Amino acid sequence: CHRGEWREDPCLDRRVYCRAPPPLVANGLISEDCAGSVAGEVCPAQCFEGFVFGPAGGLAECGGDGEWFGEVLCIWEECGQPPEIPHANLTCNGLVASDYCKVRCAEGFGGPGVAR
């Protein structure tokens, strides 16, 4: 108290904020609602269909310097090796979402000719 008045607010907001929203995510979305987050808060991302989060996961974190950190990547979802198809040979153009395999049936066998 000074001259009959309180001079300062003893509880000033000294928290660090990430003012801007997190960086955009290739092949996915991250919420612009996260702008104004306090240091330590996280912002979830979402990958488009056919994509999954990379090794770092799907969260960006507001850092103590007011910048977002955490590499949010959405990468193609891997399908692994195609199943064996009896009486057929497969020729695949890749092993991730949206790729396909051409099926060549053995003589005397038939089918659609494409496995997805």
Side-chain angles (χ1 to χ4, degrees), residues 6-105:
W6 292 104
R7 291 177 33 177
E8 289 186 27
D9 181 351
C11 298
L12 295 175
D13 187 354
R14 299 196 189 284
R15 297 177 294 176
V16 175
Y17 291 87
C18 288
R19 301 276 179 217
L24 295 176
V25 175
N27 306 311
L29 300 171
I30 196 156
S31 176
E32 290 191 19
D33 292 340
C34 293
S37 293
V38 176
E41 291 182 338
V42 295
C43 187
Q46 180 180 7
C47 293
F48 296 145
E49 186 175 341
F51 294 87
V52 294
F53 292 119
L59 297 175
E61 184 174 341
C62 179
D65 59 357
E67 298 293 326
W68 291 98
F69 71 93
E71 187 177 25
V72 179
L73 295 174
C74 290
I75 57 176
W76 282 106
E77 185 173 17
E78 292 188 25
C79 297
Q81 293 295 324
E84 286 192 33
I85 299 175
H87 313 291
N89 290 323
L90 300 178
T91 304
C92 302
N93 72 341
L95 301 175
V96 296
S98 83
D99 288 341
Y100 62 90
C101 297
K102 289 183 180 179
V103 180
R104 183 169 178 225
C105 297

